[in-house]
Amino acid sequence: MNHFFQFLFDTSQWPPRWRCGNWTDALGYTHIISDTLIFGAYFAIPCILVYLYFKIQGFKLEKVFGLFALFILCCGTGHLVEAIIFYYPVYRFAGAIKVLTAIVSWMTVFALIPYLKMLVHVPKMQLMNRELLAKLEKTNKELKESEDTLKDFAYHAAHDLKEPVRGMSSYAFILLDSDEYQLPEEVKEKLTKIVNLSARSQLMIDNMLKYSTGIHKATQVELCSVENILNELMQDIQERDKSVDIKILSKIPNMWINETLVKEVIKNLLENAVKYNDSEKKIIKVGYKNGGDKHIIYVNDNGQGIHEDDKKNIFNLFYRGKNAKKNNSTGLGLGIVKKYIEKSGGKAWVESQKSVGSTFYISLPKEQKPIVENDNPQKFDVQIQMS
Ligand code: ADP
C-alpha cells in the first residue's frame, strides 16, 4: 500500500511545471491562482448541497445530486492538482484524478438521462401550473367575495335584530313594572320569561357581532401588560360575585398583543370559570408558561369540569355542553376565543376532569404580526360606528 502511494506521488521523473518551458510570472500565476479559485468554488458547491441536506427539513438528496457533487469535487481537485504541479509534478496522481473524474462524469451523464425525459414535459407542466393558478385565484376571489357577503349579512342581521329585541324586552318590562294594569300572577310569570328570553337573545346577538366583526375592530398589536388586563377583569368579576377568588400564580411578562382581543378572550375564560362552577368558594388560578416562541396563558378553575363527550366540541360555534346554563349560555364564547387566538397565530385548548375542574390554555406568538383580515377596513369602520 505504502509502495502504491509512493509510486502515485513520485515526482522524480518530471521537472516542476515552472521549469518546463518558458513561463513568465504573469502567465504562471494566472494559471495557479485561477486553478486554485476554481477549486475553491467547486469545493463550495458540494458543501452547500451537504449543508442543505442537513439543514432543510424534507430536502431530499437524490442519487443524481450525490453524483453531481462528486463530479464537481473531482473537477475541482483536478484544477488544484494542476496548480500544485507548478511546484510538485505529481503527474501520476493528476492522471488518477482525471480517470476518476471521467468515470464519475459519465456516471452523472447516465444518471441524468431519466431527468432529461422529465424535462421534455416541463413546458407542458408549466402551462398546466399557470392554468391551475389562474383557476385557484379565481376561486379564491369568489370565495373572498362570498365570505365578505356572508360577514356583511351576519353583521347586519345581528345589528338589525338588536333593536326589536331590545324593544320587546322594554315593553315586557314596562308591563311588569307598572301597577296600572293589575296583571294576574300567571301573566307576570310569562312576561318575566319574555324579559329573560330577550336578555338571552341580546347576549347572543352581542356575541354574534363580536364574532363577525371583532377582528376588524382591532388589527394592531402593541406592547401590553396582561397583568393590567387581568387586574381590571378580576376586580369586576370579584365585585359581582363575592364567592370568587381569582389568583395570578406567576409573573406574566408584557406581550405584543392586541389588547381588545386578548381582553375579550380572557374575559370569556374567566366568566366561564365562574359560570360553570358550583363550588362554595370558586377558586380560579391564572398562570403563565414559557412555550419557546409562544407565550402560554392558562386559566384553571375548581368547577364542574367538562364531560368527556363535550371536550372535542366546546370550541365549536353554538356548541353548548351538557352542563350549559339554560339562561345565559349561547355557545359562542369559546368560538370567539378560538377565532381570536387563531387569528393572532396562536392556539386554544383545554384539559379537564369532570367534578375536579378545567384548565383552558391559550398560546400567543411572541413575535406578533398585525392581524390582517379585511382588505377594506374603511367599510368596517363605518359599520362599527353604527353599532
Ligand atoms: P356558553 O358558555 O355560552 O355555553 P361557551 O362557548 O363559552 O358557551 O362554552 C361552550 C361550552 O363549554 C359550555 O356550554 C360548557 O358546557 C363548556 N365550558 C366552557 N367553559 C367551561 C368551564 N370553565 N368549565 C366547565 N365547562 C365549561
Side-chain angles (χ1 to χ4, degrees):
M1 198 68 178
N2 236 356
H3 255 74
F4 172 73
F5 281 110
Q6 268 173 9
F7 177 72
L8 193 65
F9 290 102
D10 177 29
T11 57
S12 60
Q13 316 268 322
W14 307 275
R17 190 169 273 167
W18 272 125
R19 285 198 263 124
C20 187
N22 208 3
W23 289 93
T24 59
D25 274 1
L27 186 60
Y29 283 120
T30 306
H31 276 266
I32 294 169
I33 294 170
S34 304
D35 276 328
T36 313
L37 285 177
I38 293 170
F39 163 73
Y42 279 16
F43 185 72
I45 294 172
C47 289
I48 292 170
L49 282 176
V50 171
Y51 173 79
L52 287 178
Y53 178 68
F54 285 109
K55 202 77 190 169
I56 303 178
Q57 253 184 11
F59 180 83
K60 221 174 118 213
L61 205 63
E62 303 255 352
K63 204 174 105 201
V64 71
F65 275 110
L67 270 176
F68 181 69
L70 192 60
F71 162 61
I72 295 271
L73 202 63
C74 287
C75 291
T77 314
H79 280 279
L80 183 67
V81 175
E82 287 298 316
I84 290 171
I85 281 176
F86 272 81
Y87 304 92
Y88 304 101
V90 281
Y91 280 106
R92 284 199 193 99
F93 179 63
I97 292 293
K98 279 184 184 164
V99 170
L100 185 67
T101 312
I103 296 170
V104 174
S105 53
W106 275 104
M107 281 170 73
T108 315
V109 169
F110 286 121
L112 273 173
I113 289 173
Y115 290 89
L116 282 177
K117 284 186 195 152
M118 264 166 55
L119 281 178
V120 174
H121 297 292
V122 164
K124 214 161 92 191
M125 277 157 68
Q126 277 179 335
L127 189 74
M128 274 165 67
N129 249 351
R130 268 200 295 272
E131 279 172 9
L132 264 175
L133 269 177
K135 267 192 200 144
L136 210 73
E137 249 170 53
K138 194 170 160 247
T139 320
N140 252 347
K141 205 172 148 230
E142 283 168 6
L143 253 170
K144 174 100 189 54
E145 275 168 14
S146 54
E147 195 195 356
D148 283 351
T149 317
L150 210 73
K151 272 185 205 149
D152 275 6
F153 174 77
Y155 177 83
H156 284 293
H159 187 263
D160 293 352
L161 270 173
K162 243 179 144 173
E163 273 315 301
V165 171
R166 202 181 289 152
M168 276 182 338
S169 167
S170 309
Y171 280 117
F173 196 76
I174 290 169
L175 285 175
L176 259 179
D177 209 35
S178 161
D179 297 331
E180 213 180 294
Y181 304 106
Q182 302 290 319
L183 296 172
E185 263 327 291
E186 205 186 329
V187 175
K188 278 187 178 170
E189 252 172 48
K190 300 253 154 59
L191 283 171
T192 311
K193 276 193 178 147
I194 293 178
V195 171
N196 288 340
L197 284 171
S198 311
R200 202 173 137 205
S201 301
Q202 278 183 41
L203 185 68
M204 202 130 177
I205 291 167
D206 283 342
N207 279 341
M208 277 170 72
L209 280 170
K210 267 183 211 156
Y211 188 84
S212 65
T213 65
I215 287 277
H216 305 291
K217 279 189 190 172
T219 55
Q220 298 299 318
V221 288
E222 52 197 341
L223 192 64
C224 296
S225 158
V226 176
E227 286 188 3
N228 282 354
I229 298 178
L230 269 167
N231 284 330
E232 207 180 303
L233 292 169
M234 276 158 61
Q235 203 179 345
D236 185 40
I237 293 173
Q238 286 174 156
E239 253 167 40
R240 268 189 279 143
D241 188 338
K242 297 287 175 215
S243 69
V244 177
D245 177 16
I246 307 178
K247 292 185 176 85
I248 301 180
L249 291 188
S250 39
K251 175 120 192 67
I252 305 178
N254 290 349
M255 297 177 193
W256 284 93
I257 50 171
N258 181 282
E259 192 171 347
T260 321
L261 297 193
V262 172
K263 190 171 179 182
E264 188 60 39
V265 165
I266 299 179
K267 181 169 168 260
N268 268 313
L269 295 181
L270 290 177
E271 282 181 347
N272 276 352
V274 176
K275 189 161 51 163
Y276 300 105
N277 199 329
D278 297 329
S279 306
E280 215 169 288
K281 191 87 192 149
K282 296 168 182 150
I283 298 170
I284 300 166
K285 297 171 194 155
V286 185
Y288 171 84
K289 281 184 186 175
N290 189 343
D293 59 347
K294 298 243 166 50
H295 294 295
I296 298 175
I297 301 169
Y298 62 89
V299 177
N300 165 273
D301 64 58
N302 63 337
Q304 303 164 1
I306 298 163
H307 198 281
E308 251 341 282
D309 299 344
D310 290 335
K311 272 189 194 162
K312 57 182 182 304
N313 294 320
I314 52 167
F315 287 97
N316 291 348
L317 220 50
F318 295 113
Y319 187 86
R320 279 171 246 182
K322 297 201 171 20
N323 55 354
K325 304 277 153 164
K326 225 177 157 203
N327 284 333
N328 60 353
S329 172
T330 64
L332 278 163
L334 292 179
I336 293 172
V337 167
K338 185 170 180 270
K339 179 173 174 177
Y340 283 8
I341 290 297
E342 286 182 356
K343 286 282 170 203
S344 310
K347 265 188 176 173
W349 68 100
V350 67
E351 283 168 10
S352 178
Q353 214 181 328
K354 214 170 163 296
S355 313
V356 178
S358 312
T359 310
F360 281 85
Y361 296 88
I362 50 166
S363 72
L364 286 162
K366 285 184 181 167
E367 272 187 42
Q368 276 271 29
K369 292 196 179 73
I371 306 149
V372 183
E373 206 202 11
N374 181 25
D375 296 331
N376 185 4
Q378 260 179 332
K379 192 168 144 203
F380 274 96
D381 286 349
V382 175
Q383 289 174 349
I384 285 149
Q385 279 162 20
M386 282 162 65
S387 59

